[in-house]
Amino acid sequence: MNYNWNWGIFFEQSPEGTGTYADMLLSGLVWTIATALCSWIIAFFLGSLIGVMRTLPSKGANAVGTAYVELFRNIPLLVQMFLWYFVLPEVLPQAWGNALKQLPNAPFYTGVVCLGFFTASRVAEQVRAGIQSLPRGQRLAGTAMGFTVYQTYRYVLLPNAYRIILPPMTSEFLNNLKNTSVALTIGLLELTARARSMQEFSFQVFEAFTAATILYVLINLVVILLASLLERSVAVLGQR
């Protein structure tokens, strides 16, 4: 294969005039991390709420939670991204739609909301499974102590469920981090989009995507390390 390797390309000025190609990739990395963290906040709290609803004795709450999970989990993320970005502004009242279209950094906000709602459906299943895996006696103990349903979940069930599901939740966060790359389809200049831009400007495809791969791996390793430390700090004594 006739390919001219050039690892010094990262220190050359990019055509954008805002720095080197390395600066371009680091800028994409910042957007990737920001999108992943902001969407995870939505996913964690909304997913926890939906997961709790799926374990309540109320049939109505169960139905709403199940409908949410089945809707967002069974539509491809790419389709959801297009629906949020291209379709939603057109079906809203004109003033609202125009406001969304003119929003600064609209791809970022759209990507955050889309990823947050999509990942929430998966987090909800993790939370539901964690709660249902707890011994029935824990719920009964909360009732015996005079706790309300809210207090039983707040002080008894959820703290123990989160300890159990921390490893799969870590995997879910890593999936959310990697799913930020889908947002390039709506114009978000995250890491994968920046690697593509570098490749198109310089024609150094292997260097661009090798650097992007290394950055993704490094981020994931940091997340895994932090999750491992958190898991040890919240582990119940005698279980590890």
Side-chain angles (χ1 to χ4, degrees):
M1 184 176 66
N2 187 20
Y3 183 80
N4 295 320
W5 295 90
N6 180 16
W7 293 105
I9 187 67
F10 300 107
F11 306 104
E12 296 181 9
Q13 289 293 315
S14 71
E16 294 181 342
T18 56
T20 63
Y21 284 110
D23 295 329
M24 178 190 292
L25 292 176
L26 291 176
S27 170
L29 178 63
V30 171
W31 281 109
T32 291
I33 294 174
T35 305
L37 291 177
C38 293
S39 60
W40 182 251
I41 293 173
I42 296 174
F44 179 78
F45 288 103
L46 180 59
S48 295
L49 175 62
I50 299 298
V52 167
M53 291 174 64
R54 297 202 66 191
T55 62
L56 291 173
S58 169
K59 291 184 178 179
N62 268 268
V64 172
T66 301
Y68 180 93
V69 169
E70 296 304 323
L71 175 65
F72 284 92
R73 190 174 60 171
N74 292 312
I75 299 177
L77 177 58
L78 180 61
V79 175
Q80 293 188 41
M81 197 71 72
F82 286 160
L83 289 175
W84 281 100
Y85 191 71
F86 295 110
V87 178
L88 181 63
E90 302 300 329
V91 299
L92 291 175
Q94 186 174 4
W96 292 9
N98 291 336
L100 284 178
K101 294 176 184 177
Q102 298 168 7
L103 191 68
N105 296 321
F108 170 72
Y109 296 113
T110 302
V112 165
V113 172
C114 178
L115 281 171
F117 277 67
F118 173 79
T119 308
S121 65
R122 304 173 65 86
V123 171
E125 286 298 275
Q126 305 284 358
V127 173
R128 178 189 63 81
I131 293 173
Q132 292 180 342
S133 70
L134 296 174
R136 185 167 176 265
Q138 293 198 15
R139 188 187 296 267
L140 296 178
T143 303
M145 293 179 66
F147 285 174
T148 63
V149 173
Y150 169 79
Q151 290 173 326
T152 300
Y153 275 90
R154 169 67 178 83
Y155 297 110
V156 180
L157 300 180
L158 283 177
N160 290 318
Y162 284 135
R163 288 186 175 97
I164 295 172
I165 65 175
L166 184 54
M169 288 278 274
T170 301
S171 296
E172 209 57 64
F173 178 81
L174 294 176
N175 286 333
N176 182 65
L177 178 66
K178 290 177 285 188
N179 283 339
T180 58
S181 61
V182 179
L184 71 85
T185 58
I186 60 171
L188 180 62
L189 296 178
E190 44 70 61
L191 183 54
T192 302
R194 285 302 195 177
R196 287 187 60 184
S197 297
M198 177 179 172
Q199 172 255 315
E200 291 170 356
F201 287 140
S202 66
F203 300 101
Q204 304 296 145
V205 58
F206 292 110
E207 290 87 343
F209 284 99
T210 297
T213 300
I214 292 173
L215 289 174
Y216 276 119
V217 171
L218 290 176
I219 299 172
N220 289 346
L221 290 176
V222 170
V223 171
I224 292 171
L225 175 61
L226 294 177
S228 298
L229 295 175
L230 178 60
E231 186 177 354
R232 292 175 185 173
S233 67
V234 301
V236 178
L237 294 177
Q239 291 187 353
R240 293 185 62 87

